[in-house]
Amino acid sequence: MPDALYLAIAIAVLALTVVVGYVSTRVRRRGAPSDVRTDGTTATAEPGVEEETETPRVAPTLTVDDDVLPDDVLVGTLVAPEIERPDTVAGRLQRLRSRLARSQSTLGRGLLTLLSRDSLDEETWEEVEDTLLAADVGVAPTQELVERLKTRVRVESASPARARALLREELIALVDPTLDRSLRADRLEGKPGVVMVVGVNGVGKTTTVGKIARVLVAQDKDVLLGAADTFRAAAADQLQTWGERVGVPTVRGHEGADPASVAFEAARAGVEQEVDTVLIDTAGRLHTKTGLMDELGKVKRVVEKQALVDEVLLVIDATTGQNGLTQARIFAEVVDVTGIVLTKLDGTAKGGIVIAVQRELGVPVKLVGLGEGADDLAPFEAEAFVDALLGD
């Protein structure tokens, strides 16, 4: 056989070996997740990491309107192998009652102790006032409650048991059960309900967005998340993980991308995919930085090129007291805040912040965070809240 023929056969065998090895490697790595970006490239998992699933999940590619925002935007693609079923509203409310009642707050315990005295003199009423102020109820609401309660107790010659009942009535009146605390997150007139979540760093804003998604999924709503907090490296990953747990996709941008770009694309994807609700996480704005606050206003304006923003929820750490009120005032000047989410309310010594922040902004507390658990976010109910504070 000619030498040339031997050489040709050897080359063919070598080529076949290379091809087989390449195909085998690709088969072994089929499960590696990928993110599809607007430029058509993919970002794969780290080398050597293999997924249990056999079929890769690839999200649709989004395009950016260059006339509006030029940044790359991508969609979170991973879906949890087992989708969690979030707790029901009834279950969350029960958790709210049990958590608050178990904590036996300074507010409730202190007031009931004072009103149980045989004689309610001026010194006792001053202590009642001090207790309310220490719980961050606020000066004006505290004075109103004490005057009304003092008058009713005197007029009725109320016993300690009756004084307790009067206290409950006056606290409920201050919390105001007539406020509309429903979450406007429904699809209307062919457009999704859009909810923007704002707040300073450290209040649990991104976690709150994930928990709100769980609340809506439990109500059988089709939800999409927008990770517009592009300044904090882990924020988009964190939000995407929350979404994956309940089967909700996430629109996200590269680190440092224009937040308005991501918010715009999330709204556009929500419109095109006909979802019920788009939840947009925003960067943790420092309310003292005028430029950052102005940018928050820009995010809202850009989103409304696609769909109206139905809710702007301000997340406040319930333990921050007057600092939380300062934040609330400044955010309300930049965006039209429609509702409050209070986190860390399981430490109920500061439970009076509910009254103070509603009085300050004229908008209701709609949701309260009770702890670190995935379903520790519940709709706020005035009577249930007061009863829990008083241990009823």
Side-chain angles (χ1 to χ4, degrees):
M1 183 177 296
D3 292 342
L5 182 57
Y6 281 119
L7 180 60
I9 292 174
I11 291 174
V13 171
L14 178 60
L16 181 60
T17 300
V18 171
V19 170
V20 170
Y22 175 78
V23 171
S24 176
T25 300
R26 296 295 292 176
V27 169
R28 286 197 305 270
R29 292 177 56 111
R30 284 179 62 192
S34 64
D35 285 337
V36 179
R37 296 189 172 89
T38 54
D39 58 6
T41 63
T42 60
T44 60
E46 297 179 7
V49 177
E50 297 184 7
E51 297 290 321
E52 295 180 1
T53 179
E54 288 296 324
T55 305
R57 295 178 174 89
V58 180
T61 300
L62 296 180
T63 58
V64 178
D65 186 346
D66 291 333
D67 293 334
V68 182
L69 300 157
D71 296 279
D72 288 340
V73 175
L74 52 93
V75 166
T77 60
L78 296 181
V79 178
E82 294 183 6
I83 301 299
E84 297 178 7
R85 184 63 183 174
D87 198 2
T88 63
V89 172
R92 293 168 187 270
L93 289 174
Q94 180 58 41
R95 185 179 288 106
L96 167 65
R97 296 185 182 99
S98 62
R99 283 281 181 86
L100 294 181
R102 188 167 64 245
S103 70
Q104 282 296 297
S105 75
T106 300
L107 175 59
R109 185 173 63 250
L111 291 177
L112 293 176
T113 299
L114 291 171
L115 294 177
S116 297
R117 292 179 179 177
D118 293 333
S119 176
L120 299 179
D121 53 20
E122 285 302 316
E123 183 178 346
T124 300
W125 288 114
E126 288 179 4
E127 291 182 54
V128 169
E129 187 170 307
D130 290 343
T131 300
L132 290 167
L133 290 173
D136 283 334
V137 172
V139 175
T142 291
Q143 292 174 342
E144 291 175 18
L145 186 149
V146 170
E147 287 303 315
R148 288 176 59 85
L149 189 59
K150 184 191 302 185
T151 299
R152 294 184 69 182
V153 168
R154 182 173 60 249
V155 169
E156 298 184 24
S157 298
S159 65
R162 177 57 180 160
R164 176 191 179 101
L166 293 176
L167 171 63
R168 178 182 183 274
E169 292 176 12
E170 293 301 329
L171 283 172
I172 290 174
L174 274 182
V175 176
D176 196 351
T178 66
L179 293 175
D180 180 9
R181 301 179 193 278
S182 60
L183 194 63
R184 296 196 296 271
D186 294 322
R187 183 176 178 80
L188 294 173
E189 299 179 357
K191 296 292 182 70
V194 178
V195 179
M196 277 181 59
V197 182
V198 303
V200 300
N201 290 320
V203 296
K205 182 172 47 55
T206 300
T207 296
T208 296
V209 176
K211 291 181 178 181
I212 293 174
R214 296 179 68 89
V215 171
L216 296 176
V217 167
Q219 298 172 359
D220 295 321
K221 294 188 184 298
D222 190 9
V223 180
L224 185 144
L225 302 177
D229 184 356
T230 59
F231 298 114
R232 187 165 63 90
D237 291 338
Q238 181 184 357
L239 188 63
Q240 183 175 329
T241 298
W242 276 101
E244 289 165 2
R245 293 169 64 177
V246 289
V248 171
T250 300
V251 175
R252 55 180 297 180
H254 299 291
E255 183 179 349
D258 183 358
S261 171
V262 179
F264 176 85
E265 287 302 333
R268 179 158 69 178
V271 171
E272 293 176 350
Q273 297 175 25
E274 300 183 351
V275 303
D276 297 311
T277 309
V278 176
L279 288 173
I280 299 176
D281 182 25
T282 61
R285 309 290 163 173
L286 297 174
H287 62 278
T288 56
K289 299 290 184 68
T290 303
L292 291 177
M293 294 299 290
D294 290 344
E295 186 176 279
L296 185 60
K298 172 189 172 185
V299 169
K300 184 174 184 290
R301 292 192 301 272
V302 167
V303 167
E304 291 191 329
K305 294 178 181 293
Q306 290 292 326
L308 292 178
V309 175
D310 301 284
E311 290 272 14
V312 177
L313 298 179
L314 174 61
V315 181
I316 297 177
D317 182 336
T319 66
T320 59
Q322 294 302 310
N323 285 336
L325 292 182
T326 301
Q327 297 166 16
R329 293 187 197 105
I330 298 177
F331 274 96
E333 294 173 1
V334 178
V335 288
D336 184 19
V337 175
T338 59
I340 305 296
V341 181
L342 283 176
T343 61
K344 305 179 186 178
L345 196 62
D346 46 335
T348 53
K350 298 294 186 180
I353 191 66
V354 170
I355 297 168
V357 74
Q358 287 185 162
R359 180 71 64 93
E360 179 69 32
L361 293 188
V363 298
V365 171
K366 294 194 171 186
L367 297 163
V368 290
L370 308 170
E372 300 300 324
D375 290 315
D376 286 341
L377 184 74
F380 182 82
E381 287 191 353
E383 293 190 12
F385 174 71
V386 171
D387 286 343
L389 288 180
L390 298 179
D392 291 342

